[in-house]
Amino acid sequence: MIDLYTWTTPNGYKPVILLEELGLAYEIKPIDIGSGAQKKPEYLRINPNGKIPALQDHDPPNGPVTVFESGAILIYLAEKTGKLLPASEPGRSRVIEWLMFQMGAVGPMLGQLGHFRSAAPEKIPYAIERYQQEQDRIYKVLDGRLAESEHLADEYSIADIATFPWISGAARMGVALEPYPNLARWEQAIKARPAVTRAFAAKIKP
């Protein structure tokens, strides 16, 4: 059994999608980040960074394995099952590079855009414009890649799983996909996958 500590954020949905794709048995342990549950001592023993998600795998015979950081969790689960991350090159590096692009660019930049557009106590035009420009640049990179490939790393992989919740979530907040037709096609195709539907229907909030 796998315990998944998560919440209803783009990063929080990544491992839920992967667990559903892999068909692994897991139990969601909700961490209400709005109430500060991620900063409590019992959770900090699992993830010292005080963020979600984190995972505890109780299957290994030599004791539970704990993994935090969403990208690390995706790699761990893919390697555990031998699925959605090629074992050989060049496929493995292609998946890892697009996964790192999500971790280093897509997530942080869209997160900052969402913060300054919706959550900041005052509207700062410079910050909003800066992150809107970066969002456009990132979407053009993704759209260009998806013009030549059905998925980010040739075949469906953890790179797509990592990126999808951020793109889908931004679309729901008003970041239009129409100027990026290949990205829009990809977003709709991933959304239609049964495992993705099950993941977003999972009971995360108590």
Side-chain angles (χ1 to χ4, degrees):
M1 175 62 74
I2 290 170
D3 290 332
L4 177 63
Y5 299 83
T6 195
W7 196 243
T8 55
T9 70
N11 283 340
Y13 275 114
K14 293 181 198 175
V16 185
I17 294 172
L18 182 55
L19 286 162
E20 289 291 341
E21 291 281 7
L22 297 174
L24 293 175
Y26 70 98
E27 182 176 350
I28 289 176
K29 305 286 189 179
I31 300 296
D32 184 351
I33 61 176
S35 69
Q38 74 277 22
K39 301 299 183 183
K40 292 183 177 180
E42 56 268 29
Y43 183 68
L44 290 174
R45 286 193 288 270
I46 297 169
N47 183 354
N49 193 33
K51 294 183 180 249
I52 58 95
L55 172 149
Q56 284 188 319
D57 184 358
H58 298 277
D59 290 342
N62 57 342
V65 172
T66 299
V67 186
F68 67 90
E69 289 295 325
S70 61
I73 291 171
L74 297 190
I75 292 172
Y76 172 80
L77 291 172
E79 290 184 336
K80 172 185 174 72
T81 59
K83 297 178 181 179
L84 299 176
L85 174 61
S88 59
E89 301 297 349
R92 180 180 175 82
S93 289
R94 183 72 68 238
V95 171
I96 295 295
E97 67 187 4
W98 285 106
L99 175 63
M100 293 302 107
F101 181 72
Q102 187 283 307
M103 299 293 294
V106 178
M109 295 301 103
L110 292 184
Q112 291 297 325
L113 175 60
H115 174 78
F116 284 106
R117 282 180 59 177
S118 304
E122 64 176 297
K123 300 297 183 185
I124 304 174
Y126 168 78
I128 295 171
E129 182 180 0
R130 180 188 191 283
Y131 290 112
Q132 283 179 336
Q133 290 175 347
E134 188 63 3
Q135 170 262 308
D136 179 59
R137 184 192 72 80
I138 288 168
Y139 276 36
K140 286 176 178 175
V141 171
L142 293 169
D143 194 67
R145 170 57 181 163
L146 292 166
E148 60 187 22
S149 176
E150 183 178 0
H151 298 106
L152 291 176
D154 301 322
E155 296 182 357
Y156 183 65
S157 72
I158 58 173
D160 299 290
I161 290 171
T163 307
F164 170 77
W166 283 100
I167 302 301
S168 184
R172 290 194 300 273
M173 290 190 298
V175 178
L177 292 180
E178 285 78 8
Y180 319 96
N182 303 298
L183 183 59
R185 181 268 308 162
W186 170 90
E187 192 264 348
Q188 288 298 309
I190 304 301
K191 183 186 294 184
R193 294 181 66 90
V196 175
T197 300
R198 292 194 301 271
F200 278 89
K203 186 174 176 57
I204 296 177
K205 289 185 177 181

